[in-house]
């Protein structure tokens, strides 16, 4: 399925809304926790069991992005968005059947495995197209789209909670909520499928830079370069540090101030989680846009260097000041979101637009690794400290020191990034001929 080439006069600003329709939909994954308590009650699940669909979904996100990235580049954004629509919506429909029949394995299969494939393909589907439309502002363009993934939960959380309140939190009510999600997201994602276009020329902006400017490296060659693996470390360390707070945000702030004269209420802890989500979303567009002005290496110096300072402030002074704790956590989570949104532009700078979507997909295995590593560090150490009789902020001191160390590792990796050796480049004439052939076939 080839996407239609944009007609003369087509506004490139119509492409980010197409990407947003997909990312706002698949961003529902961050709202899975809304379904955890009803599922545990209705199906007699433990907390660990009820987390399986989400965990499998994130694992499949990384794997499908890595293995499907080349197909996305080959078949184009419309094909990728269609696959994402079918998988993500089908995952909800299978989950609805599983909830109705009270067969939890169907929910794990549907939401986690099938829906997770939709997450991965949908996440990378617009990346290379946006970069080709916005060669002058790649950070802003990808930031707008990936902001949607962070903001999807802000829509999905209250919407899901309202449906469960209206339909009931027993298995039949959960099934109906899953069904409505699957059908609604299919319609919304279809807007992106119909709207997406590829640029007619390699210069979508008059007098702007060519999308073929600079080095062009294939996905196969990219993973053979030290630059790819250095960026893998950078992304993994940044995500691990962010998700370490995000995954345990509510109990963490409660523990930090449990032994003070002003403990944190359950409502306030929930508000803190909402603030972190907003910071993540704002960081995706704010910091990625800033990277267009100061450069990708410099913005990652901020993410990793300032992030380490924020963690140190929380570890040393966090339990003495709520405003300081909240401010530092918000900054760290804004860097977490910004790191996701900036990395496609960083890849474009290093490897060009030739197969940047496929390269991005392979790099997202760092997210899958961090998704396991971050929560494991924080939760395992907190459990061990609690068993040793400690409580309050002391539950997290060691894990925060580890996070600082990981951020320093990421900072060093970022400093080691250099331009890709020309021997890895795709010959320019060959690439130009390929682009012309693809456009003539699509026209």
């Amino acid at each position: 399925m080839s996407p239609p080439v944009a007609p003369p006069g087509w506004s490139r600003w119509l492409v980010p809304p197409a990407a947003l329709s997909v990312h706002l939909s698949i961003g529902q994954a961050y709202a899975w926790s809304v379904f955890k308590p009803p599922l545990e009650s209705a199906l007699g699940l433990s907390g660990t069991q009820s987390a399986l669909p989400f965990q499998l979904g994130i694992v499949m996100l990384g794997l499908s992005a890595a293995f499907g990235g080349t197909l996305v580049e080959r078949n184009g954004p419309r094909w990728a968005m269609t696959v994402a629509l079918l998988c993500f919506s089908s995952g909800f429909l299978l989950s609805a059947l599983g909830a109705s029949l009270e067969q939890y394995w169907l929910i794990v299969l549907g939401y986690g495995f099938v829906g997770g494939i939709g997450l991965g393909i949908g996440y990378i589907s617009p990346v290379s197209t946006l970069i080709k439309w916005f060669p002058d502002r790649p950070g802003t363009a990808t930031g707008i789209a990936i902001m949607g993934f962070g903001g999807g939960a802000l829509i999905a959380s209250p919407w899901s909670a309202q449906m469960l309140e209206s339909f009931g939190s027993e298995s039949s009510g959960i099934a109906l909520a899953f069904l409505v999600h699957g059908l609604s997201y299919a319609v919304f994602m279809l807007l992106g499928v119909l709207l997406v276009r590829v640029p007619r020329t390699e210069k979508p902006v008059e007098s702007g830079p060519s999308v073929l400017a600079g080095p062009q490296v294939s996905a196969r060659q990219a993973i053979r370069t030290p630059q790819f693996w250095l960026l893998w470390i950078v992304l993994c360390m940044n995500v691990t540090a962010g998700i370490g707070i995000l995954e345990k945000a509510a109990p963490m702030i409660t523990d930090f101030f449990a032994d003070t004269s002003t403990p944190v209420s359950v409502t306030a802890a929930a508000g803190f989680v909402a603030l972190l989500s907003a910071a993540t979303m704002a960081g995706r567009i704010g910091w990625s846009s800033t990277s267009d002005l100061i450069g990708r290496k410099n913005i990652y110096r901020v993410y990793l260097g300032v992030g380490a300072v924020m963690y140190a402030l929380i570890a040393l002074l966090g339990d003495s000041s709520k405003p300081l704790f909240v401010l530092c956590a918000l900054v760290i989570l804004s860097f977490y979101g910004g790191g996701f949104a900036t990395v496609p532009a960083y890849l474009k700078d290093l490897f060009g637009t030739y197969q940047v979507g496929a390269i991005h997909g392979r790099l997202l295995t760092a997210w899958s690794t961090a998704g396991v590593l971050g929560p494991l560090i924080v939760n395992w150490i907190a459990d061990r400290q609690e068993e040793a009789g400690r409580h309050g902020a002391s539950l997290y001191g060691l894990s925060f020191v580890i996070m600082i160390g990981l951020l320093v590792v990421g900072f060093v990796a970022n400093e080691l990034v250099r331009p890709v050796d020309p021997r890895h480049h795709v010959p320019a004439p060959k690439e130009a001929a390929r682009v012309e052939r693809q456009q003539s076939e699509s026209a």
Side-chain angles (χ1 to χ4, degrees):
M1 181 186 294
S2 298
V5 177
W10 179 268
S11 173
R12 62 177 180 163
W13 291 103
L14 293 174
V15 181
L20 268 175
S21 71
V22 174
H23 274 244
L24 280 171
S25 299
I26 62 177
Q28 185 280 336
Y30 278 156
W32 172 254
S33 60
V34 174
F35 288 102
K36 281 172 60 70
L39 283 169
E40 290 167 16
S41 176
L43 302 181
L45 305 173
S46 66
T48 301
Q49 289 173 320
S50 67
L52 278 176
F54 172 78
Q55 291 174 320
L56 180 57
I58 295 299
V59 170
M60 291 308 301
L61 185 157
L63 293 178
S64 61
F67 290 104
T70 303
L71 289 175
V72 171
E73 287 292 324
R74 182 183 304 152
N75 297 317
R78 174 166 286 184
W79 175 88
M81 289 180 178
T82 301
V83 171
L85 183 160
L86 293 174
C87 291
F88 191 65
S89 296
S90 297
F92 270 113
L93 299 183
L94 276 173
S95 297
L97 178 62
S100 179
L101 299 176
E102 298 189 357
Q103 296 294 317
Y104 188 57
W105 68 271
L106 269 175
I107 299 177
V108 176
L109 174 67
Y111 190 94
F113 185 81
V114 179
I117 295 174
L119 286 178
I121 300 298
Y123 192 88
I124 64 173
S125 62
V127 169
S128 63
T129 303
L130 282 167
I131 288 176
K132 288 171 183 174
W133 273 109
F134 294 84
D136 54 332
R137 286 186 278 183
T140 300
T142 54
I144 290 173
I146 294 176
M147 176 185 68
F149 192 84
L154 296 180
I155 298 171
S157 292
W159 183 39
S160 301
Q162 182 59 50
M163 276 197 285
L164 290 170
E165 185 177 336
S166 300
F167 301 151
S169 56
E170 67 281 354
S171 58
S172 60
I174 297 170
L176 189 53
F178 282 150
L179 178 63
V180 172
H181 273 76
L183 297 177
S184 299
Y185 282 131
V187 173
F188 194 57
M189 294 172 77
L190 184 61
L191 297 176
V193 172
L194 298 176
L195 192 59
V196 71
R197 299 285 191 279
V198 296
R200 177 173 292 274
T201 69
E202 68 172 74
K203 279 194 172 186
V205 186
E206 188 176 349
S207 300
S210 166
V211 299
L212 299 180
Q216 302 295 328
V217 183
S218 69
R220 177 174 293 183
Q221 281 297 113
I223 62 173
R224 297 174 182 175
T225 66
Q227 287 84 354
F228 176 88
W229 295 107
L230 289 170
L231 274 190
W232 193 97
I233 293 170
V234 166
L235 182 64
C236 185
M237 299 302 99
N238 190 59
V239 173
T240 299
I243 211 168
I245 287 182
L246 184 63
E247 189 272 340
K248 203 174 174 65
M252 183 181 291
I253 193 171
T254 302
D255 290 336
F256 254 79
F257 299 97
D259 298 331
T260 68
S261 58
T262 55
V264 176
S265 66
V266 174
T267 303
F272 174 62
V273 175
L275 277 176
L276 293 181
S277 297
T280 300
M281 184 171 148
R284 290 173 190 254
I285 180 63
W287 292 121
S288 61
S289 298
T290 303
S291 77
D292 286 334
L293 302 175
I294 69 173
R296 252 58 78 173
K297 177 173 279 193
N298 285 332
I299 201 68
Y300 272 96
R301 285 169 173 153
V302 173
Y303 297 158
L304 300 160
V306 178
V309 173
M310 294 297 104
Y311 256 116
L313 287 174
I314 294 178
L316 296 172
L317 306 171
D319 59 346
S320 63
S321 171
K322 281 183 188 174
L324 177 66
F325 180 94
V326 172
L327 177 62
C328 291
L330 291 176
V331 171
I332 291 170
L333 266 296
S334 75
F335 293 161
Y336 167 81
F340 280 123
T342 310
V343 81
Y346 207 162
L347 291 171
K348 177 260 181 188
D349 294 346
L350 290 170
F351 302 109
T353 59
Y354 177 35
Q355 290 188 335
V356 69
I359 299 170
H360 185 220
R362 286 160 170 77
L363 195 76
L364 288 181
T365 54
W367 185 1
S368 296
T369 302
V372 175
L373 189 60
L376 180 65
I377 291 171
V378 174
N379 288 297
W380 187 84
I381 291 177
D383 289 344
R384 300 291 81 75
Q385 298 287 58
E386 190 171 8
E387 290 174 2
R390 296 183 176 87
H391 51 83
S394 61
L395 295 176
Y396 304 97
L398 178 57
S399 60
F400 284 3
V401 171
I402 293 174
M403 293 299 179
I404 293 170
L406 293 178
L407 287 168
V408 171
V409 170
F411 189 93
V412 172
N414 183 53
E415 291 301 307
L416 295 175
V417 173
R418 298 289 184 271
V420 176
D421 191 295
R423 64 191 173 88
H424 295 291
H425 295 180
V426 173
K430 175 183 176 182
E431 170 58 10
R434 187 192 68 83
V435 172
E436 290 176 4
R437 184 174 65 255
Q438 281 191 342
Q439 290 178 351
S440 64
E441 290 173 352
S442 300

